[in-house]
Amino acid sequence: MNKTFLFSLYEEAVRVSKPKHCLPDYFSTFSKGERGCILGAGKAAADMAVEAYNYIGDNAYGLVVTRYGYENTAPTGNIEVRLAAHPVPDENSVEGAKALLAMASRVAPTDKVIFLISGGGSSLACAPPSTISLDDKLALHKFLLRSGASIEEMNTVRKHVSVIKGGRLAAASKGHNTSLVISDVVGDDPAFIASGLTVQDTSTPHDALAILDKYGFDTSSNIRGYLARAPELPRVTGDYTLVANAQSAIDAAVKKANANGWDTHIISYTEKGEAQKVAKRHAEIALEHKKAGKPILLLSGGELTVTLGDSQGEGGPNQEYLMALANALKGEAGICALAADTDGVDGSKDVAGGFIDEHTLTRATQNGLDINALLAEHDSFGFFDALGSHIKIGPTRTNVNDFRVICIA
């Protein structure tokens, strides 16, 4: 089995998760002649707006905020597309969030509001309370990214240090609200996708403080003081529909693999945990299948984490997973694997992930790479860069978490 076929499975998972494929059917419940306000945030927001315009036309108006480099690929008519930073917010994230809130507050009660939500919305629509500066919010954000906190924990904190998250965007609208959502959250909990901009949330400011305590956030930060007196989240109403997630992506890859004569086994749609630990467990599963002597593809989704601590290594969860997997497999013949983020960016560099096979460890040694030292420093980017084994696809304008496939031939 070669890299090309595994990459084609990844491409299929990404294809079915793009707005052009997953969104049009859901607009059929709306009248083409009906006036509607389109509001959105996330990596897929611009292309979601394209599909809204394709269906509703000039009767659609509104605003979406997406990441730099993720501009719309076709016209959006009266739906404005703004750009901001991800994963660390910037001033445009703040301005975009304020504009979304302002437009939502002006919606007429007779208008329909369609919220187009996807992963990345937490950073792209960032509006801290007036008593908290953007610098304070950025310090919190950077801390959470390096802490090893799950996306659920990060979003719980973010939504209580915000005036738009935790359902506040939808609460600002007087129209009939509908949310169409591409999930980048393991388990698809609506409250955690883009920090729940448009859905009811039951967490409290006390929950956010407990998470900061858990990971040792600066006790002198004024964010703690704000959370001690922060208001509860608002009550939110409206319809909610999930249009794409990890399961739909992996199922599409499985269908393609089966059509090519491969047996498949899904380890989990919702894998979580430290990348190195998960890799060791997956290596054990792969070796068991290898021992059985039957060719098979093992697929998994979800989102892994890397706790950096004081290390200065660069990379991402998919690259670290693969490096640890290669180390655990010890060059076992007939096993190769690909892991990549469906948004096209794994960690801090513009690579989606990587590929390993039975020759990876030998090639690493020949290139003077100490895989154990690199794992300790979490420098997975350096490892795959030296081997020329990265997966590069560029911005996909969608995100349904990680895609991993191990081939036992």
Side-chain angles (χ1 to χ4, degrees):
M1 175 57 57
N2 59 32
K3 181 179 179 180
T4 301
F5 182 68
L6 296 191
F7 182 68
S8 75
L9 298 181
Y10 165 68
E11 286 186 307
E12 179 66 5
V14 170
R15 184 187 72 82
V16 301
S17 305
K18 289 186 176 184
K20 183 177 182 179
H21 177 88
C22 68
L23 201 56
D25 287 349
Y26 294 96
F27 284 115
S28 62
T29 61
F30 303 100
S31 169
K32 287 192 174 184
E34 190 173 13
R35 180 173 168 82
C37 179
I38 308 297
L39 299 173
K43 295 176 184 177
D47 281 5
M48 293 176 87
V50 168
E51 298 309 316
Y53 174 65
N54 286 344
Y55 186 84
I56 302 173
D58 290 333
N59 287 308
Y61 70 96
L63 166 71
V64 299
V65 184
T66 194
R67 180 178 176 170
Y68 299 124
Y70 284 55
E71 296 88 343
N72 42 302
T73 54
T76 58
N78 297 320
I79 307 169
E80 180 186 358
V81 177
R82 293 196 183 191
L83 304 178
H86 181 279
V88 179
D90 64 0
E91 289 290 349
N92 285 333
S93 306
V94 176
E95 293 305 312
K98 290 178 179 178
L100 285 170
L101 284 167
M103 187 164 287
S105 68
R106 294 195 297 267
V107 171
T110 55
D111 278 3
K112 284 192 173 181
V113 182
I114 305 174
F115 294 106
L116 304 177
I117 307 299
S118 57
S122 293
S123 297
L124 297 166
C126 172
S130 59
T131 56
I132 294 177
S133 69
L134 179 59
D135 285 343
D136 286 339
K137 188 73 179 282
L138 292 179
L140 171 66
H141 189 84
K142 291 176 181 177
F143 169 82
L144 291 171
L145 285 175
R146 295 183 64 87
S147 69
S150 68
I151 189 171
E152 292 86 357
E153 290 174 318
M154 287 192 284
N155 284 352
T156 295
V157 176
R158 287 168 176 165
K159 70 185 62 173
H160 289 283
V161 190
S162 172
V163 297
I164 190 171
K165 297 176 173 65
R168 292 184 178 95
L169 177 58
S173 163
K174 299 181 180 65
H176 177 75
N177 299 332
T178 296
S179 297
L180 300 178
V181 181
I182 296 176
S183 173
D184 71 330
V185 170
V186 179
D188 305 322
D189 188 331
F192 293 119
I193 303 168
S195 295
L197 291 166
T198 64
V199 296
Q200 185 68 48
D201 187 277
T202 58
S203 68
T204 68
H206 177 77
D207 294 330
L209 278 170
I211 292 168
L212 295 184
D213 289 339
K214 176 181 176 180
Y215 293 101
F217 184 65
D218 184 3
T219 56
S220 64
S221 171
N222 70 338
I223 287 177
R224 287 181 174 274
Y226 172 79
L227 287 172
R229 60 181 186 279
E232 298 292 327
L233 296 173
R235 182 163 183 78
V236 180
T237 59
D239 301 323
Y240 176 94
T241 301
L242 192 69
V243 301
N245 64 355
Q247 180 169 341
S248 59
I250 291 173
D251 285 349
V254 166
K255 183 177 180 180
K256 180 180 178 68
N258 293 159
N260 280 269
W262 278 89
D263 287 336
T264 56
H265 171 69
I266 297 168
I267 297 175
S268 174
Y269 292 114
T270 57
E271 194 72 85
K272 297 169 68 174
E274 286 287 328
Q276 292 191 34
K277 292 182 179 178
V278 173
K280 290 177 182 177
R281 178 163 50 83
H282 285 193
E284 292 173 358
I285 296 171
L287 291 171
E288 288 175 3
H289 280 281
K290 176 66 176 178
K291 189 178 296 184
K294 186 178 181 180
I296 195 168
L297 299 177
L298 309 177
L299 296 99
S300 63
E303 184 167 81
L304 307 184
T305 55
V306 176
T307 303
L308 291 171
D310 295 327
S311 71
Q312 299 301 312
E314 292 185 303
N318 289 288
Q319 296 165 79
E320 178 141 332
Y321 164 87
L322 283 174
M323 189 162 60
L325 185 69
N327 206 32
L329 289 172
K330 301 185 185 303
E332 180 72 28
I335 301 180
C336 62
L338 179 148
D341 199 315
T342 53
D343 72 351
V345 180
D346 183 46
S348 58
K349 299 289 188 178
D350 289 333
V351 298
F355 173 82
I356 64 166
D357 61 19
E358 61 192 79
H359 306 296
T360 295
L361 289 184
T362 299
R363 294 178 59 227
T365 300
Q366 291 170 346
N367 281 270
L369 301 174
D370 184 337
I371 191 169
N372 290 305
L374 291 170
L375 281 168
E377 283 299 311
H378 305 292
D379 190 12
S380 55
F381 179 84
F383 181 82
F384 285 98
D385 191 48
L387 298 181
S389 296
H390 274 124
I391 297 297
K392 298 180 181 180
I393 193 173
T396 65
R397 298 179 175 85
T398 191
N399 187 14
V400 290
N401 296 134
D402 302 333
F403 175 87
R404 293 176 294 272
V405 55
I406 301 173
C407 172
I408 295 94

